[in-house]
Amino acid sequence: MIEKDFVTEGLRRTRIDEYLEKELERAGYGGMEVQITPLGTMVIVYAERPGMVIGRGGKNVRTITNTLKTEFGLDNPQIEVKEVEVPELNPKIMAYKISNMLQRGMHFRRVAYSTIRRIMGAGAQGVEVTISGKIRGSRSAVAKFVEGYIKKCGEPSTRLVQEGFATAQLKPGVLGIYVRIMPPETVLPDSVEILPPKVIIEEDGEVIEEEIDVETEEIIEEEEIIEEVEDLDELEEVVEEESTEEVEEDDS
């Protein structure tokens, strides 16, 4: 069955992702991609510190390659390591950083707000940090921190919003950390771009289109309004002068 093959392949990729996350935790693991090529299977690993993924003399890469071939059954696996250009926009890396800070004993609110500031400072449109577990006492609770604009439901929330997860081992218990980020280059389906109006001018039988600058139009309108106001002031002054002259004539 084709459906069964899809499920098996998805399960295998999830197991590979969990294995790489565990092995490359200190290297700042930021996700992976699996591509089937005619020569074998290409595994692209994104990391904050690629040197730690490769290891001294390529030792770590060879170990991971052998594991992917023997334990996960990949055909001729080849690993390509890429550096994450902006770690603040990678939810997996930021979730791991939150986990490290919580394990050091920092307060969860301070950790969440500082992380949100870093992510928004990198240019993200929105971010949501969720920390669940025994964060306040003996009972489990959920703390959610949101800033900016982020989709919560529908197809854009699954396709456009990136999500990362990590766990923190504390004395009261295990904390779950979810980080959801909407990247700065995201274009929503309901976004509308308003084009400037155009004026068609005919010169010697040729049609010329010119765009109207809205700002210059506003400036011209403001100048016209100012001139009208000045004319009104002059009229009021003339009317006042005429009324005073009429009153003086009546008194005389």
Side-chain angles (χ1 to χ4, degrees), residues 89 119-128 146-151 160-161 180-188 190-191:
L89 297 178
I119 295 172
M120 294 300 292
Q125 294 188 25
V127 58
E128 179 184 78
V146 184
E147 187 170 342
Y149 181 77
I150 188 167
K151 280 288 186 181
L160 302 178
V161 179
R180 302 176 73 241
I181 299 174
M182 181 174 282
E185 68 276 2
T186 303
V187 180
L188 297 173
D190 58 349
S191 62

Side-chain angles (χ1 to χ4, degrees), residues 214-233:
V214 179
E215 294 181 357
T216 55
E217 274 194 346
E218 291 177 354
I219 293 170
I220 292 169
E221 289 178 357
E222 289 179 358
E223 290 178 353
E224 291 177 354
I225 291 169
I226 292 169
E227 290 178 357
E228 289 179 359
V229 171
E230 290 177 353
D231 294 338
L232 288 173
D233 292 338

